[in-house]
Amino acid sequence: MKLIKEILGRILALWAALVFVGTMLVFLIPFILYSYTHPDPTRNIRFLQMARVWMSSFRTLIGCWLTIRGREHFKKGQQYIVVCNHNSLMDIPVSSPAIPHGNKTIAKMEMARIPLFGMIYRSGSVLVDRKNEKSRKDSFRKMIQALNMGLHMCIYPEGTRNKSELPIKAFHDGAFRLALDTGHAIIPGVIFNTKKVLPANKPFYFMPHRLAIHFLPPIAPEPGESTESLKNRVHALMLEYYVANDRP
């Protein structure tokens, strides 16, 4: 039975890859046309709207229906720093369409080099080379710009996909320093089941599964609070919620 599941997972991975490329090409045509006729920032907002439709369509076609809870925590006219746990490459097609209104994601520079996909990736992300100090500082400035444009910033504070046995790994400082520097509240987004769909430790494997993201109430930085304190508060809350609500 296990062998059959492994073989099926590889066949379904091929199907998911074909659907991804096919829906991406359909999405790229109106995006390129719009890009040539509309300047920023209008182009950027429209891109994000179209990308949400693309990611939702892709996710549905591969059999990964999504349950969203807690969108009422996003108050109209306010921008938030959304922090999500990171288990899989499927996390972005979950978080980006689920977050109300436009949002950008902090993302690795390497992915922007992929032909065609890189064009979309660059437009919807704040890119960072984590090994380059100048790139990290520049990405921080661009995240502030995104918030000032009226967009939410989505950050995965674990940094990389969680390949450990821990429910949620330790967090890096960036998202919490951004909250303290800008005064924007943090909304935790707890993602479930993406590890079952695209396991980080299994190459070219895909298994459809119902996905979920639960947004928790906003966490505002307290006066005089340190980055470490805010980071630990958010991590403890997300870890407790994940453990209490994760289902086998």
Side-chain angles (χ1 to χ4, degrees):
M1 185 66 185
K2 185 177 179 181
L3 178 60
I4 293 173
K5 187 176 180 180
E6 291 293 319
I7 294 171
L8 180 61
R10 268 64 185 188
I11 295 170
L12 290 171
L14 178 60
W15 162 248
L18 292 172
V19 172
F20 181 85
V21 173
T23 54
M24 179 185 70
L25 292 175
V26 170
F27 163 76
L28 268 176
I29 295 169
F31 170 61
I32 292 171
L33 291 174
Y34 197 93
S35 297
Y36 279 116
T37 56
H38 293 75
D40 281 321
T42 305
R43 181 179 66 188
N44 196 277
I45 299 296
R46 291 291 177 266
F47 160 79
L48 292 168
Q49 291 172 339
M50 289 188 285
R52 286 154 67 94
V53 174
W54 167 49
M55 284 185 276
S56 296
S57 301
F58 161 68
R59 202 184 56 242
T60 301
L61 287 170
I62 60 174
C64 293
W65 291 272
L66 179 64
T67 299
I68 304 170
R69 293 182 186 173
R71 294 184 82 181
E72 68 275 8
H73 298 311
F74 292 84
K75 304 305 178 186
K76 189 174 180 179
Q78 295 186 32
Q79 286 71 55
Y80 297 94
I81 298 162
V82 183
V83 296
C84 299
N85 54 312
H86 194 13
N87 285 322
S88 164
L89 293 175
M90 188 59 68
D91 292 330
I92 291 177
V94 167
S95 63
S96 186
I99 297 170
H101 189 52
N103 61 90
K104 283 203 168 192
T105 302
I106 187 76
K108 294 187 296 184
M109 186 77 71
E110 295 86 342
M111 298 287 282
R113 301 189 182 104
I114 299 174
L116 293 180
F117 175 72
M119 183 191 305
I120 302 171
Y121 195 80
R122 283 191 297 271
S123 298
S125 307
V126 171
L127 299 176
V128 60
D129 179 354
R130 294 190 179 95
K131 298 177 182 177
N132 186 298
E133 179 66 22
K134 182 178 181 300
S135 176
R136 291 199 301 270
K137 289 181 179 179
D138 192 45
S139 67
F140 196 84
R141 177 181 58 80
K142 289 179 179 177
M143 287 192 287
I144 294 174
Q145 288 178 346
L147 291 166
N148 291 338
M149 284 173 58
L151 301 173
H152 305 300
M153 262 316 304
C154 182
I155 301 174
Y156 296 90
E158 291 169 286
T160 58
R161 286 173 290 164
N162 184 2
K163 298 180 182 180
S164 73
E165 296 300 317
L166 298 171
I168 298 179
K169 292 193 305 181
F171 287 168
H172 294 287
D173 291 347
F176 311 98
R177 187 158 55 89
L178 182 65
L180 290 167
D181 285 3
T182 63
H184 288 282
I186 289 172
I187 288 186
V190 185
I191 298 174
F192 298 97
N193 298 327
T194 54
K195 186 180 285 188
K196 298 171 185 175
V197 172
L198 282 178
N201 58 355
K202 278 190 179 183
F204 205 71
Y205 179 94
F206 169 79
M207 189 58 61
H209 198 287
R210 180 172 287 278
L211 306 175
I213 181 168
H214 298 176
F215 296 111
L216 309 186
I219 300 172
E222 295 176 351
E225 186 170 23
S226 68
T227 301
E228 192 72 14
S229 170
L230 180 59
K231 178 177 69 174
N232 290 340
R233 273 206 295 145
V234 175
H235 186 276
L237 182 67
M238 291 179 67
L239 177 60
E240 180 182 11
Y241 190 90
Y242 183 90
V243 170
N245 292 275
D246 188 31
R247 297 291 178 264

